[in-house]
Amino acid sequence: MRAAPTLGAVMAVFDVSNPHLVSLQDVEPSIESGWIAQYRGTGFISRWIEYGTGGCHSHSAMLRRNGGGVDVLEIREWIGGRATPLASEVERYPGMIDVFSVDKRFPEYRGPLAARYMRLLTGNDYGYLGVLKLGLMKLPLIRRLWPFDTDDLLRTNAAPFCSHAVCAAMRLGGNVDPVPRKRDDRVSPNDLTWSCALFYEFTLT
């Protein structure tokens, strides 16, 4: 599907206005456990998240091979953690799910173990408090209530939100931190989109 990049190689182009659209039926066999699904939403909350984080994605999830198919592992607002078939998600959000793999420059990544860790995290409720804090930290003056911190260690017992869980699963289960020097509970969906550890593969229809 792609050539392995070398150090210093240009990242795969991700143009939100002209995504690489593919049919799930054509690419599902090539999707690996531990890949990332980035959602572009159109609802009010989705638009608020996209605006607040300065990017095009409002939700993050992890993919897991399950027999001959693929599941979406996610922690979603109003629902909590769950595993759902990718096919049903694509049917609901056609052309809105962008799939990223972990760049070949990170051969130490353990996708199946990352997915296993993510499955454990889906046993949690949605982390509304974490999302609220993340939003407040974007505001002038109010952000000073929390000190700047570059410690990667997961130091919170609060329920995780979507990108928080994905980042923690990649780091603690998969052995690759997609957003180094930033705490997992401060990682937004668009921090993952911009991560140099992730390689854009395609957008599902």
Side-chain angles (χ1 to χ4, degrees), residues 24-43:
L24 174 61
Q25 183 177 359
D26 292 338
V27 300
E28 189 169 25
S30 68
I31 295 175
E32 300 178 10
S33 289
W35 285 17
I36 309 304
Q38 295 283 86
Y39 287 64
R40 287 178 277 118
T42 58

Side-chain angles (χ1 to χ4, degrees), residues 122-138:
T122 59
N124 290 280
D125 293 328
Y126 186 80
Y128 296 101
L129 183 60
V131 171
L132 176 61
K133 180 186 290 187
L134 189 64
L136 291 175
M137 291 181 69
K138 301 291 184 180

Side-chain angles (χ1 to χ4, degrees), residues 45-71:
I45 294 178
S46 296
R47 293 299 191 192
W48 179 82
I49 294 173
E50 291 168 2
Y51 176 80
T53 60
C56 62
H57 290 120
S58 59
H59 180 61
S60 300
M62 183 170 286
L63 303 177
R64 176 190 65 174
R65 294 214 63 85
N66 185 10
V70 177
D71 286 338

Side-chain angles (χ1 to χ4, degrees), residues 121-159:
L121 291 176
T122 59
N124 290 280
D125 293 328
Y126 186 80
Y128 296 101
L129 183 60
V131 171
L132 176 61
K133 180 186 290 187
L134 189 64
L136 291 175
M137 291 181 69
K138 301 291 184 180
L139 300 177
L141 301 180
I142 295 180
R143 66 185 300 174
R144 293 295 182 180
L145 294 175
W146 293 277
F148 291 102
D149 193 347
T150 59
D151 191 343
D152 285 324
L153 296 179
L154 184 64
R155 299 184 301 168
T156 176
N157 294 320

